[in-house]
Amino acid sequence: MEVTALADDARGDLFDPACPTRGLLDRLGSKWTSMAVKVLAGAAPAEVRFAELRRRMPGVSQKMLSTTLRGLVRDGLVDRRVEPTVPPRVHYRLTALGLSLEEPLSALRAWAEAHMAEIDRANHAAAAEQVTGADDSAVL
Amino acid sequence: MEVTALADDARGDLFDPACPTRGLLDRLGSKWTSMAVKVLAGAAPAEVRFAELRRRMPGVSQKMLSTTLRGLVRDGLVDRRVEPTVPPRVHYRLTALGLSLEEPLSALRAWAEAHMAEIDRANHAAAAEQVTGADDSAVL
DNA sequence: CTGTATCCTCCCCGATACTG
DNA sequence: CAGTATCGGGGAGGATACAG
């Protein structure tokens, strides 16, 4: 692996200071991050083990869960505690910073649950216009 | 181009109903979406023209702005109004749905502005541990 | 049990050029 | 002015195998 250890998980040196939101959304946008935060937040302040975390995130692979958690730990949003047994047990929990993120994030989740169906309908309507020859005057 | 017109902008038939948040974050995660919403929300209820929008989003290309806006229109978050002049003028503004998204989204922006620097520091600290041989006892 | 190492595929996004 | 068409690089992320 050599010197590549430096660039290991680095997602670039962040972003344009004028728009920190992009840096945050790049992270939350990665497929499993928000779900991991959700599960960890739901269990807080208790810890969650790797396998348990995986069970609560249907569809995630070992690799992606590992990668996701490493990113969160690196960002200081999650704490990682290793129980030095054989086999090892690894526990994760949100840091104070991670917990503080849960608040605005849950607001976004609430919006999603309330309005994503509407977005879904808008998409299907747009698709329908395509097949009907973009005849928008008759829609509805 | 043929029948591909159907699949044109379709980002899949959405997502697992159990997690509408993923569908939303997939959209907000795309590079220019959140910025476009921000600019449009800042101008609301006024409309913003394509070129003006582009000026307020430093670094965006014509193609990506066009693609981003098309996605937002398709999702029902943005309205598009064409002034049939020569050359044409096209105006964009958030729909009621788009405006409602701005609320939780601005909360996320506030969190980002308040805490991304901290995440930045955590990342640099993690990088530093790599070069020092993971000696975390001496950090700080 | 909790990871890491490879390989490989898909698609996001940027650059560039062209159109009405 | 407001787009669309095309090409190409690079990274996200899934499958699989292996390790401590």
Side-chain angles (χ1 to χ4, degrees), chain A residues 5 7-8 24 52 55 61 72 85 89 108 114 117 123-124 130 133-134:
Chain A
D8 189 24
L24 179 59
E52 175 64 16
R55 240 169 293 138
S61 67
L72 285 168
T85 59
R89 294 162 165 226
L108 211 67
N123 271 276
H124 284 106
Q130 290 290 335

Side-chain angles (χ1 to χ4, degrees), chain B residues 79-139:
Chain B
D79 264 347
R80 181 176 184 271
R81 183 175 68 87
V82 181
E83 215 169 330
T85 59
V86 177
R89 295 164 166 225
V90 185
H91 305 259
Y92 295 91
R93 67 173 178 80
L94 288 181
T95 62
L97 185 61
L99 220 42
S100 77
L101 172 60
E102 173 60 10
E103 188 172 344
L105 191 50
S106 68
L108 211 66
R109 277 195 216 99
W111 190 94
E113 305 209 357
H115 300 292
M116 280 306 285
E118 194 165 347
I119 287 187
D120 204 2
R121 263 181 274 117
N123 271 275
H124 284 107
E129 287 183 26
Q130 290 291 335
V131 296
T132 59
D135 175 26
D136 52 336
S137 63
V139 170

Side-chain angles (χ1 to χ4, degrees), chain B:
Chain B
M1 78 167 53
E2 300 186 318
V3 205
T4 56
L6 254 181
D8 187 24
D9 270 349
R11 298 188 187 76
D13 200 9
L14 276 194
F15 44 86
D16 180 1
C19 199
T21 307
R22 273 252 40 80
L24 179 60
L25 286 175
D26 275 346
R27 290 164 165 79
L28 297 179
S30 73
K31 190 163 183 180
W32 301 102
T33 299
S34 71
M35 194 180 300
V37 171
K38 178 181 180 178
V39 171
L40 289 170
E47 297 174 317
V48 184
R49 291 184 49 187
F50 187 89
E52 175 63 18
L53 208 38
R54 193 175 173 202
R55 240 168 293 136
R56 300 196 193 181
M57 296 169 59
V60 72
S61 67
Q62 286 186 352
K63 177 197 170 187
M64 286 318 297
L65 180 53
S66 177
T67 301
T68 300
L69 289 170
R70 208 188 311 142
L72 286 168
V73 168
R74 186 189 169 96
D75 284 341
L77 295 170
V78 166
D79 264 347
R80 181 176 184 271
R81 183 175 68 87
V82 181
E83 215 169 330
T85 59
V86 177
R89 295 164 166 225
V90 185
H91 305 259
Y92 295 91
R93 67 173 178 80
L94 288 181
T95 62
L97 185 61
L99 220 42
S100 77
L101 172 60
E102 173 60 10
E103 188 172 344
L105 191 50
S106 68
L108 211 66
R109 277 195 216 99
W111 190 94
E113 305 209 357
H115 300 292
M116 280 306 285
E118 194 165 347
I119 287 187
D120 204 2
R121 263 181 274 117
N123 271 275
H124 284 107
E129 287 183 26
Q130 290 291 335
V131 296
T132 59
D135 175 26
D136 52 336
S137 63
V139 170
L140 258 202

Side-chain angles (χ1 to χ4, degrees), chain A residues 52-129:
Chain A
E52 175 64 16
L53 208 39
R54 195 177 170 200
R55 240 169 293 138
R56 300 196 193 180
M57 296 169 60
V60 72
S61 67
Q62 286 186 353
K63 176 196 170 188
M64 287 317 297
L65 180 53
S66 177
T67 301
T68 300
L69 289 170
R70 210 187 311 142
L72 285 168
V73 168
R74 185 189 170 96
D75 285 341
L77 295 170
V78 166
D79 265 347
R80 181 176 185 271
R81 184 174 68 86
V82 181
E83 215 169 331
T85 59
V86 177
R89 294 162 165 226
V90 185
H91 305 258
Y92 295 90
R93 66 173 178 81
L94 289 181
T95 62
L97 185 62
L99 220 43
S100 77
L101 172 61
E102 174 60 10
E103 189 172 344
L105 190 50
S106 69
L108 211 67
R109 277 196 216 99
W111 190 95
E113 304 209 357
H115 300 292
M116 280 308 284
E118 194 165 346
I119 288 188
D120 204 3
R121 264 182 275 117
N123 271 276
H124 284 106
E129 287 181 28

